[in-house]
Structure formats: structure tokens, C-alpha cells
């Protein structure tokens, strides 16, 4: 009796709703899927078709992330309200499409970022004058933790690039004109950003990048190439780190806001990867690309420093993501092993299994505590480079352990593409490499521990 | 006309949660379980906010009856665009036995006190599925009702309501003040945007007790027992229609 059809008129208010103004067949198909998926959620609830518990104890198992507002270390009621609203967007606009995006090897960044931008989630700690909310970094971490509920690693990573990798330096040091042109639309979700730092020959060793920007009159002429550019095939602009002079390697680089549609910008290829399939990663070349000198962020020669300054935030953000994902993987593994029987007993009831899951959950809680502690110190103005590096190091390694152990307990099913654990296994492997490899984190920690060889 | 709309919002167990029956069969487990705003109440709030945006009405007041946590639900409504909230405090045993009749009395009293032009509710709550509060409130107030609304338009001092009924759609025109209950297809609720969540902090939530409104909330109903539905047993496949008839005769069904 319930018709599940497309509403022909949707409210015209600009509140982050997928637009019905799309006349294209593809757009209509998407809206239909969306309407179907949304109505499905509502359909099941209005016929009261809720799932009932199996033969489990009546004691509810609260998710470790939900704590009472008054007792939480850094989160207030506002943080939880933020997460609830973001969760709705994740459940209704993102998760229903993840499988398809993973299969297609890309996701519609403009569409998704516009929805998030409309709801205010792309500028949480960005200046109010440019459409941001001017909140402190704890809100950004709340967002990153909630985005961990997306059922893949690629989409949260892409969002993280937009909010906490390509834009922080611009927000802090960019000129008003530059912020108007690049920051404002990025916060609104109208422009997709990407970060151009790593190159084919330089990843961990940022100071040895080769891309050059030579001043010619009031323009820079840029030659070189960037690698591992997340959002690279869809981005409207790139935050580019290039050598702008011949000085010492830590002082001769600058950040430049470069529109991606300028002549000479070539997206050489979309890279095929082990995981993070829904995130398009590009190799980009710059062939005599001309950009006005005023597109430089802040001071010339300060690019390396600016990039370093934002690493703390970048790394803590990545940890927020993975902590929620690990929670979810452990919970799904518990659910699966509870109903899957071997030798007449649920897999979960074998001590090697439930003990191991207990170990993993313990470590996830430790990492979460470190994350919140570092965030609490950071928002008070402290330098948390050491703690952030430790958290990133642990996150990458723990994610590999969680993925590996949990996948084992799924048995043959874990090896299929039908389950989340196999996707997590692939996606999370990147964490020990990207955003600062484990080895770089270790070197930073050693520096703080003063255990490095003296020069 | 005051231009004021009252919207009832109920805090219920989240639709995605697995429900557990308490071991003493007195009810379902609610402690530590995720709660959120009843989905039909979300639709009701959205409709009220839309009416305000179209300038048909001036103020949206979100109302919820329950313990302290009901304020979270009101705050979600504020983040969606409601102007202020009223929290009717009902706790403990009183809350366990609170049902549509008492809530209707409370809403009727509030509608009069606030001089409301319109009262919008969700058509039913997803925990008890009663589908009674809207209708009872209208009867207590002697107001017209437009229930199962899938389309609402204000025309002067009348309201045109398209209702979803078994046979299809029914269009009625009723006078104001009136009670409306929102059905699934009335609208798609907006996401509470982060700026609005922050702004909602400054909006006021008034606290009031049922006694202040002259309402007696003693329940006339007693829940004797709550059980899970019987487990569905495995079916049996048969080869032919004759087998089917034989099996049905065997089991005494026919």
C-alpha cells in the first residue's frame, strides 16, 4: 500500500538536500535511490519492523564512544548534537552509495561536499568570516570520529583532505583575497580542494621535492609533478608546495593556491590502489603553469613551516577516524562470530576469540584516550607534536592488527568482498604510510626523547 | 491569529536499535539505549518550520513530555528551526505509564495557554504505534483535525489537507485553529546544520509540570506483561498442491 516514489516537489530551501532540479537521468536515478533508501528507513520504522534481539542477555552493551555529556573529557552536549546530525547525513547520503563508489573507483566529491558544506561540517574550525564556525579543534575531532561510521576509508579521507589538509594554512596565513577565492567556496562545499606536497621522488622527505615555481614578472611559472593527490581528478584547486627560491631546503618553499583548470595542468592518471578505492588518487603534472604571484599563501619561503604547523591537526584527525572504524569492526566481528557456529559452539565463545577481541578493544580505548588527551592539550594552546605523532603511529599499527585478527575470525567470509572487514583490512593499511609514515613518527618521537645521534 | 504553532516531539528508542524485553517482562530495556526524536515528529517539526519560512505563521514552539532527557529532543527541534521549547516534566513511574490520553490533555491545556493557531504532531510514535494523541487532542479542544497529512496548505484562515487513507488520498478543508498529524510523505526533514545547532543553545526551553496545567496524569491502564513476538519457526516446502492440502489437513488447519 505504501508507494515509494520520487516526490516531484522538494522544498527549495538551501538546507543540504540533494537537489531535484537535476533534469539529467543520472541525477533522477540518484534521487530515486535516495528517496527509496530514505523511505526504506522510515518504512521499516513505521510498520514497526524493528529487529528483536537474539538469545542475548538483557544487559545492553553501550558503545564505548557514547558517554554521558557531563562526564566526557572534551565533548559537550554540542559535540554530541553535532555528531548526531552528521550521523544522519552519513546514514542517508553517504553509506547507501559506498559499495557503488568503491566499485566505480571514485565518489562524487562535489555532490557530497556540497551536502556537508550546506550543513556546516566543512568549516568547523575555520574563520566565521569565510563561512566557518570558528569552533576549536575538539569539534573537528568530533567530526572525524563520527565520519569513521562511513563504511569505507576513502570518503572520510577525502573529506579530511578538504577540511584539515588543503585548507588550514590558507585559513591561517592566506590573504583576504585568496581566502575569498579559495577558502570560502571550499568551506561551502562549492569547490573541491586537494593537497600537492608528495612527489614521485619525495614523500617522507618533503624538503627534497623538485617542483619549481619561478618568478616571471608578477607570475610564477610552475614545472614539476605531484603524486598521491587525493581528490586529484575532481579538484577545482590544489594547495601546492613548490620551491620558490634557491635557499636552504626548509626555507625556500612556498604554498600556492593553484586552480586545476589552468593550462599546463595535466592529470596524468588515476592510480589503482590496494584500498581506498572510492577515493580518486591522481598523479598530476605541471607544464609551464602560470599563476599570479598573489596566489602565494602567506610569506614566500614559509611554505615548509606552514605545512609542518598543520601536521598535528592532520594526524589527530586521522586517528579520530580510525578509532571509530576499529570499534565498528570489532562490534561487527562480535555479531558475526556470535551467530556463526563451529563444533556446535559460536565462534565467539571460544576463549582465544573473545580474549583476543578484549585485547584489541583495550588497545582501541587506550588510543582513544591518547587522542582525547592530545586534543584537550591542543585546544588549550599546547604543542602536542609528540603525542600526535605517538597517536598516529599507534593508530596505523593497531588498525593493521585489528583488521588482521578480526578478518581471521570471519573465516572464508572475511576473505570475500561482501563484508566490511575485508575492505577495512585493505583501507587501513594506508594509515601506517600516508600522512606521515610510521618511520617518520618514530623519528619525531626520538627527537623529543633526545635519543637521536648527535650531528 | 497568534501565528503560533505548537509541535509535539517525542523521545523514543532509536529506530535502528535492537529492542530487548526486560527479564521481568514488565517492559523493554531503555537504560543506556540510544534514543532519538520520533521520525514522524521530525516531519512535523519540518512542516512547522517550513510554514514559518513561508511566513504563514510567526512562531514555532516545540513541546515534549518526559524526564530531563526530553530536553535533548526539544533541542534537536530548536536546531531544526523551532523558536523555543516547552518541557513538560514527567518522571519515574508517571513517565512509564504516560500514554496518549494524558499527553492529549497536556497538549490541549498548552494549546489554550499558548493561544496556538495550529498543533502539529507526528501521526504516531514508533515505540507504541498508538496513533491516538492527535485525534484525542483535537477532540478535547473541539478543534478540527487533519490526520495522516501528506500535504498541507494554508488558505486564508482555512487549511487544505491532503490525507493518506486506505483508498488513496482524501482532500479536506478545515478551519483554524486545528490539529494536524504528519504522515511519511509530508516532507523530508532537514539536517540540523552545525550553525543552527550552535544557535539553538541560546533558545529558551521553559519547564512546566502537568499539575501546573491542571492535568491529572494518573493512568487508567496497567501493563500486565510484555513479551517478544513468538519466534518464527522454519517453514516446510512441499512439492505439489495436493501435498500442501494434505499437510494442512494433517495439522488441523483445514
Amino acid at each position: 500500500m505504501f508507494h515509494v516514489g520520487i516526490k516531484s516537489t522538494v522544498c527549495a530551501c538551501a538546507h543540504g538536500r540533494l537537489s531535484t532540479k537535476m533534469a539529467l537521468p543520472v541525477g533522477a536515478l540518484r534521487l530515486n535511490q535516495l528517496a527509496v533508501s530514505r523511505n526504506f528507513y522510515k518504512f521499516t520504522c513505521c510498520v514497526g519492523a524493528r529487529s528483536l534481539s537474539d538469545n542475548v542477555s538483557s544487559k545492553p552493551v553501550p558503545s564505548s564512544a557514547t558517554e554521558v555529556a557531563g562526564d566526557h573529557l572534551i565533548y559537550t552536549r554540542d559535540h554530541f548534537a553535532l555528531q548526531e546530525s552528521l550521523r544522519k547525513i552519513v546514514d542517508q547520503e553517504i553509506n547507501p552509495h559506498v559499495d557503488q563508489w568503491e566499485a566505480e573507483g571514485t565518489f562524487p566529491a562535489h555532490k557530497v561536499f556540497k551536502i556537508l558544506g550546506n550543513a556546516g561540517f566543512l568549516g568547523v574550525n575555520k574563520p566565521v568570516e569565510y563561512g566557518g564556525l570558528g569552533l576549536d579543534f575538539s569539534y573537528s575531532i568530533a567530526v572525524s570520529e563520527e565520519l569513521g561510521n562511513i563504511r569505507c576509508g576513502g570518503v572520510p579521507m577525502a573529506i579530511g583532505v578538504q577540511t584539515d589538509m588543503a585548507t588550514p594554512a590558507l585559513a591561517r596565513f592566506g590573504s583576504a583575497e585568496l581566502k575569498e577565492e579559495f577558502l570560502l567556496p571550499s568551506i561551502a562545499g562549492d569547490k573541491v580542494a586537494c593537497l600537492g606536497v608528495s612527489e614521485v621522488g619525495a614523500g617522507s622527505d618533503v624538503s627534497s621535492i623538485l617542483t619549481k615555481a619561478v618568478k616571471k614578472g608578477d607570475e610564477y611559472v610552475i614545472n614539476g609533478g605531484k603524486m598521491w593527490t587525493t581528490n586529484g581528478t575532481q579538484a577545482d584547486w590544489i594547495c601546492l608546495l613548490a620551491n620558490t627560491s634557491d635557499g636552504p631546503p626548509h626555507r625556500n618553499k612556498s604554498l600556492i593556491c593553484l586552480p586545476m583548470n589552468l593550462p599546463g595542468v595535466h592529470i596524468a592518471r588515476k592510480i589503482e590502489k590496494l584500498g581506498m578505492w572510492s577515493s580518486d588518487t591522481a598523479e598530476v603534472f605541471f607544464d609551464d603553469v602560470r599563476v599570479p604571484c598573489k596566489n602565494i599563501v602567506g610569506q614566500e619561503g614559509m611554505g615548509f613551516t606552514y605545512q609542518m604547523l598543520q601536521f598535528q591537526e592532520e594526524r589527530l584527525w586521522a586517528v579520530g577516524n580510525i578509532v571509530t572504524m576499529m570499534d565498528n569492526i570489532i562490534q561487527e566481528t562480535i555479531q558475526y562470530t556470535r551467530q556463526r557456529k563451529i563444533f556446535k559452539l559460536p565462534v565467539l565463545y571460544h576463549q582465544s576469540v573473545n580474549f583476543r577481541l578484549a585485547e584489541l578493544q583495550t588497545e582501541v580505548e587506550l588510543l582513544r584516550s591518547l587522542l582525547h588527551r592530545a586534543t584537550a592539550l591542543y585546544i588549550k594552546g599546547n604543542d602536542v607534536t609528540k603525542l600526535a605523532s605517538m597517536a598516529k603511529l599507534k593508530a596505523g599499527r593497531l588498525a593493521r592488527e585489528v583488521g588482521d585478527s578480526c578478518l581471521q575470525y570471519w573465516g572464508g567470509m572475511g576473505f570475500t568482498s561482501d563484508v566490511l572487514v575485508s575492505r577495512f583490512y585493505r583501507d587501513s593499511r594506508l594509515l601506517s604510510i600516508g600522512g606521515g609514515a610510521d618511520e617518520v613518527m618514530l623519528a619525531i618521537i626520538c627527537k623529543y626523547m633526545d635519543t637521536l645521534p648527535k650531528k | 491569529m497568534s501565528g503560533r504553532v505548537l509541535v509535539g516531539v517525542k523521545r523514543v528508542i532509536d529506530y535502528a536499535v535492537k529492542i530487548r524485553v526486560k527479564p521481568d517482562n514488565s517492559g523493554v530495556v531503555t537504560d543506556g539505549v540510544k534514543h532519538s526524536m520520533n521520525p514522524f515528529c521530525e516531519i512535523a517539526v519540518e512542516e512547522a518550520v517550513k510554514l514559518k519560512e513561508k511566513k504563514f505563521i510567526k512562531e514555532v514552539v516545540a513541546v515534549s513530555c518526559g524526564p530531563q532527557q526530553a530536553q535533548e529532543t526539544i533541542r534537536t527541534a530548536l536546531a531544526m528551526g523551532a523558536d523555543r521549547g516547552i518541557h513538560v516534566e514527567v518522571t519515574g513511574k508517571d513517565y512509564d505509564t504516560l500514554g496518549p490520553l494524558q499527553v492529549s490533555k497536556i497538549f490541549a491545556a498548552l494549546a489554550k495557554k499558548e493561544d496556538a493557531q495550529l498543533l502539529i504532531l507526528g501521526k504516531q510514535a514508533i515505540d507504541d504505534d498508538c496513533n491516538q494523541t492527535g485525534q484525542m487532542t483535537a477532540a478535547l479542544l473541539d478543534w478540527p483535525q487533519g490526520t495522516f497529512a501528506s500535504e498541507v496548505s494554508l488558505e486564508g484562515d482555512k487549511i487544505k489537507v491532503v490525507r493518506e487513507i486506505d483508498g488513496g488520498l482524501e482532500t479536506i478543508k478545515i478551519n483554524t485553529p486545528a490539529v494536524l498529524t504528519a504522515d511519511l510523505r509530508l516532507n523530508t526533514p532537514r539536517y540540523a546544520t552545525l550553525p543552527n545547532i550552535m544557535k539553538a543553545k541560546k533558545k529558551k526551553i521553559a519547564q512546566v509540570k502537568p499539575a501546573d496545567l491542571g492535568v491529572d496524569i494518573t493512568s487508567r491502564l496497567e501493563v500486565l506483561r510484555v513479551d517478544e513476538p513468538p519466534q518464527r519457526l522454519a517453514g516446510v516446502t512441499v512439492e505439489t498442491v495436493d501435498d500442501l492440502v494434505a499437510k494442512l489437513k494433517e495439522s488441523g488447519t483445514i
Side-chain angles (χ1 to χ4, degrees), chain A residues 2-3 7 17 38 42 46 50-53 56 58 60 77-78 82 85 88 92-93 119-120 124, chain B residues 13-15 18-20 23 31 40 42 75 126 184-186 188-194 201 228-229:
Chain A
F2 285 96
H3 314 289
K7 278 192 72 120
R17 188 65 60 249
R38 284 210 70 190
K42 301 238 164 114
C46 70
R50 270 212 268 231
S51 44
L52 290 166
S53 60
V56 291
S58 60
R77 194 174 43 212
D78 291 329
L82 173 164
S85 188
K88 286 205 184 100
Q92 285 161 4
E93 311 274 4
V124 172
Chain B
I13 296 180
D14 188 80
Y15 75 85
K18 274 183 154 61
I19 306 295
R20 285 173 235 268
D31 278 338
F40 293 106
E42 277 181 19
R75 241 168 238 119
I126 60 170
L184 190 62
R185 273 157 287 274
L186 180 57
T188 312
R190 64 195 61 194
Y191 299 121
T193 68
L194 199 45
K201 277 201 289 201
E228 288 191 10

Side-chain angles (χ1 to χ4, degrees), chain A residues 329 332-333 336-337 405-414 419 421:
Chain A
I329 291 295
E332 278 200 15
T333 306
Y336 177 76
T337 54
S405 294
C406 287
L407 193 146
Q408 182 70 14
Y409 299 142
W410 283 75
M413 279 308 295
V419 295
V421 68

Side-chain angles (χ1 to χ4, degrees), chain A residues 323-449:
Chain A
V323 164
T324 305
M325 287 185 188
M326 289 193 284
D327 259 355
N328 291 345
I329 291 295
I330 292 172
Q331 285 304 311
E332 278 200 15
T333 306
I334 290 173
Q335 277 171 38
Y336 177 76
T337 54
R338 200 195 290 281
Q339 53 85 31
R340 168 79 179 166
K341 290 197 169 72
I342 53 171
F343 307 111
K344 296 206 193 355
L345 198 66
V347 171
L348 183 64
Y349 290 178
H350 294 258
Q351 199 171 73
S352 67
V353 176
N354 53 49
F355 269 29
R356 179 67 182 134
L357 292 172
E359 277 177 0
L360 294 171
Q361 188 68 56
T362 302
E363 299 220 23
V364 171
E365 293 306 333
L366 290 172
L367 180 60
R368 179 178 275 121
S369 290
L370 181 58
L371 170 68
H372 290 171
R373 177 175 153 217
T375 305
L377 286 166
Y378 184 68
I379 58 180
K380 290 205 169 88
N382 293 289
D383 172 24
V384 294
T385 307
K386 184 176 82 168
L387 292 181
S389 307
M390 288 172 161
K392 165 81 173 43
L393 172 71
K394 185 61 185 171
R397 290 176 167 186
L398 184 59
R400 286 149 74 181
E401 278 188 62
V402 169
D404 189 62
S405 294
C406 287
L407 193 146
Q408 182 70 14
Y409 299 142
W410 283 75
M413 279 308 295
F415 204 64
T416 69
S417 312
D418 299 330
V419 295
L420 185 63
V421 68
S422 58
R423 184 181 292 159
F424 176 79
Y425 180 85
R426 291 182 289 102
D427 287 350
S428 61
R429 185 60 184 82
L430 182 61
L431 195 54
S432 284
I433 299 169
D438 282 0
E439 289 75 9
V440 175
M441 298 301 106
L442 287 164
I444 294 172
I445 298 166
C446 283
K447 195 172 83 180
Y448 277 85
M449 289 173 72

